[in-house]
């Protein structure tokens, strides 16, 4: 236990107006400068992180090696002619001990004037206190950055999630578990990159600014290029450009990308989000299903060292073979209703009789999807592939080889959340044109998220695209699952927020 645990830290600043606290700290900046001390120096020679010093404690302490450490003061307690403080760096916490007899009166006075939040560097030898705390006996210290804004109290001052998201830097300072979540995010991305590289996939980059948007059903953000005097769109998906590369001769490609959709915000959606899309020539959606199952299993093990993870109230097991079932059969299994033989009018009437909201259901496929969302989706806890989507809602997927009302498409659901979307990619340019034209009619009917006609993409297909399997999945939602985070905002450093009121 730290020497200063269970003791009151610095005098309570919470009751003092913020502007007064900041002014007091500014006065300390002026004081240090008047003493010839630069409160914002250029560099510090650090020899050890906290974790490294603790791991090598026996050797460092036995050999009386002087180490250099740097970090932010998070606790400080004066005890007569001695001061204990905790400094935190990226690896953890280390206690430091400053004694007036060791450093002299003036340095002791300088240290006494430091505030919680100040960043310092210390040099000294390691020793163990009488309570068993491994500690640095400070011989020298240096102020590296004077903090002007007081730190929020972890338990009282930064618990409101809106404030945490807006002031992520403060959230990261006081909540080490938040830093850990983002470290895990990086590890997941590294795991994905390692896996795809090992499978021979080439990482590529495609345009973010596009003259036409496509590859998903969504509304875009629009901007204007002054020199060309044209409107451009932030991409909603990478699909159509990546498939142009398949046409060009690349056979296994993938992209880690930022996409943008002008849509609502909730715990599962942010207007700017991260995706992985991949395309595999001469493969179909069954091959992609096996590939993605293997990838998810690897990510879970790389992150947790096991295949079972906890997400909210559920234990998710990635080790068994994932279940795969058609959307039609999943609805039938849940409700006893077989929608496949029904036409649009019959299906829509059945939806109405089942209490499913029917406005906006403009074709048979949308009715099937509405049934699935209402009756099935939330109950898919263990990893489950839902496959064979209706043609009406899958304009870029290949027609099912056994039923022309369906396509070779799947989505995977885990803990009731959609975690990926994949196709046997449509590569018939004439069929693609017909699908785009059907989407155009839906746009005319008021569907703002319907695909636009992309003539250049059709031209690319006319050169010939091999049979191809494709997959896209959201990184942010996957990180939510793997880190047991409730909201997408918990795994995005700086999520989009409504303007802050004065």
């Amino acid at each position: 236990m730290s020497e200063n645990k269970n003791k009151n830290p610095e005098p309570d600043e919470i009751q003092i107006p913020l502007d007064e606290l900041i002014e007091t700290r500014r006065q300390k900046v002026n004081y240090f400068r008047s003493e010839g001390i630069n409160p914002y120096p250029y560099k510090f020679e650090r020899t050890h992180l906290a974790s490294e010093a603790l791991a090598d404690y026996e050797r460092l302490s036995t050999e009386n090696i002087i180490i250099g450490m740097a970090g932010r003061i998070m606790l400080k307690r004066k005890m007569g002619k001695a001061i204990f403080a905790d400094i935190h760096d990226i690896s953890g916490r280390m206690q430091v001990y400053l004694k007036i007899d060791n450093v002299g009166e003036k340095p002791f006075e300088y240290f006494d004037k430091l505030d919680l939040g100040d960043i310092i560097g210390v040099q000294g030898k390691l020793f163990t206190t009488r309570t068993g705390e491994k500690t640095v006996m400070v011989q020298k210290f240096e102020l590296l950055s004077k903090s002007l804004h007081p730190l929020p109290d972890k338990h009282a001052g930064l618990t409101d999630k809106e404030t945490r998201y807006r002031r992520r830097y403060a959230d990261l300072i006081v909540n080490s578990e938040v830093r850990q979540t983002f470290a895990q995010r990086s590890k997941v991305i590294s795991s994905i990159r390692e896996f795809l590289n090992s499978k021979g996939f080439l990482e590529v980059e495609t345009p973010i600014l596009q003259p036409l948007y496509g590859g998903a059903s969504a509304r875009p953000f629009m901007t204007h290029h002054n020199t060309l005097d044209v409107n451009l769109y932030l991409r909603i998906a990478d699909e159509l450009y990546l498939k142009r590369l398949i046409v060009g001769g690349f056979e296994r490609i993938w992209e880690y990308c930022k996409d943008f959709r002008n849509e609502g915000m909730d715990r599962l959606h942010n207007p700017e989000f991260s995706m992985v899309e991949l395309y595999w020539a001469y493969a179909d959606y069954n091959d992609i299903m096996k590939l993605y199952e293997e990838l998810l299993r690897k990510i879970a093990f790389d992150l947790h060292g096991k295949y079972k993870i906890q997400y909210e109230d559920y234990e998710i097991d990635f080790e068994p073979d994932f279940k795969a079932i058609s959307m039609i059969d999943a609805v039938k299994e849940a409700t006893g209703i077989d929608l496949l033989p029904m036409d649009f009018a019959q299906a829509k009437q059945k939806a109405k009789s089942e209490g499913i909201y029917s406005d906006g259901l403009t074709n048979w496929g949308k009715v099937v999807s509405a049934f699935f969302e209402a009756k099935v989706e939330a109950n898919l806890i263990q990893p489950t592939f839902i496959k064979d989507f209706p043609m009406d809602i899958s304009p870029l997927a290949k027609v099912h080889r056994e039923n022309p009302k369906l396509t070779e498409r799947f989505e995977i659901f885990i803990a009731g959340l959609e975690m990926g979307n994949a196709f046997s990619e449509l590569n018939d340019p004439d069929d693609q044109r017909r699908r785009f034209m059907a989407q155009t009619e839906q746009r005319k009917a008021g569907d703002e998220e319907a695909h636009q006609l992309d003539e250049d993409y059709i031209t690319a297909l006319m050169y010939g695209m091999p049979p191809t399997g494709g997959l896209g999945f959201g990184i942010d939602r996957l990180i939510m699952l793997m880190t047991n985070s409730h909201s997408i905002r918990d795994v995005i450093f700086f999520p989009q927020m409504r303007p802050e009121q004065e």
Side-chain angles (χ1 to χ4, degrees), residues 54 66 93 118 143 160 246 261 347 388 393 452 457 467-468:
L54 292 171
I66 295 175
R93 177 190 70 85
D118 289 351
L143 174 60
D160 176 67
I246 294 290
R261 296 180 185 176
D388 305 340
I393 57 172
Q452 297 185 103
Y457 176 66
T468 299

Side-chain angles (χ1 to χ4, degrees), residues 104-325:
E105 290 187 9
K106 203 64 176 175
F108 188 83
E109 177 186 330
Y110 295 152
F111 199 95
D112 191 30
K113 288 185 178 294
L114 296 178
D115 294 301
L116 300 186
D118 289 351
I119 298 172
I120 63 169
V122 300
Q123 291 180 332
K125 298 177 182 179
L126 292 173
F127 78 106
T128 301
T129 68
R130 61 178 179 273
T131 60
E133 177 86 2
K134 294 179 175 64
T135 303
V136 177
M137 175 73 76
V138 178
Q139 296 179 354
K140 295 181 181 178
F141 76 92
E142 184 176 357
L143 174 60
L144 302 178
S145 182
K146 183 73 189 79
S147 169
L148 296 180
H149 199 296
L151 293 180
D153 181 81
K154 177 176 179 178
H155 302 292
L158 201 65
T159 55
D160 176 67
K161 282 190 174 290
E162 288 290 314
T163 303
R164 289 177 57 194
Y165 299 145
R166 290 185 192 279
R167 310 283 185 265
R168 180 66 85 188
Y169 40 85
D171 186 25
L172 292 167
I173 289 171
V174 300
N175 291 313
S176 60
E177 65 274 14
V178 176
R179 292 198 303 273
Q180 178 62 25
T181 294
F182 285 100
Q184 290 178 309
R185 178 188 176 102
S186 181
K187 190 170 183 179
V188 168
I189 295 167
S190 295
S191 180
I192 293 168
R193 182 169 278 113
E194 178 186 81
F195 175 83
L196 293 176
N197 289 346
S198 74
K199 297 292 184 180
F201 284 81
L202 179 70
E203 187 171 3
V204 298
E205 294 179 84
T206 59
I208 293 175
L209 285 175
Q210 302 178 349
L212 288 173
Y213 59 93
S217 296
R219 288 182 295 174
F221 290 95
M222 186 178 72
T223 188
H224 187 79
H225 191 287
N226 293 332
T227 300
L228 297 178
D229 193 26
V230 295
N231 289 332
L232 295 171
Y233 302 92
L234 293 178
R235 66 182 172 201
I236 60 174
D238 300 52
E239 180 167 346
L240 301 187
Y241 280 92
L242 289 170
K243 288 198 283 192
R244 285 173 169 93
L245 298 182
I246 294 290
V247 170
F250 291 102
E251 295 186 355
R252 299 188 186 199
I253 56 175
W254 76 284
E255 183 171 15
Y256 175 84
C257 50
K258 286 285 190 179
D259 290 339
F260 306 84
R261 296 180 185 176
N262 200 347
E263 59 189 14
M265 299 183 297
D266 56 32
R267 80 178 189 93
L268 298 178
H269 297 89
N270 192 67
E272 175 185 350
F273 60 98
S274 300
M275 288 277 293
V276 163
E277 288 205 29
L278 64 87
Y279 292 87
W280 181 3
Y282 308 107
D284 66 8
Y285 77 145
N286 292 306
D287 298 305
I288 298 295
M289 208 177 296
K290 294 174 186 175
L291 183 79
Y292 195 31
E293 180 172 339
E294 186 180 349
L295 173 58
L296 289 173
R297 194 171 285 127
K298 170 183 163 54
I299 292 169
F301 192 84
D302 284 353
L303 197 62
H304 299 286
K306 57 184 179 180
Y307 296 111
K308 291 181 179 179
I309 71 169
Q310 190 70 30
Y311 181 73
E312 298 192 337
D313 295 332
Y314 309 117
E315 183 179 72
I316 310 299
D317 191 353
F318 288 92
E319 188 168 18
D321 292 341
F322 295 3
K323 180 179 179 179
I325 185 172

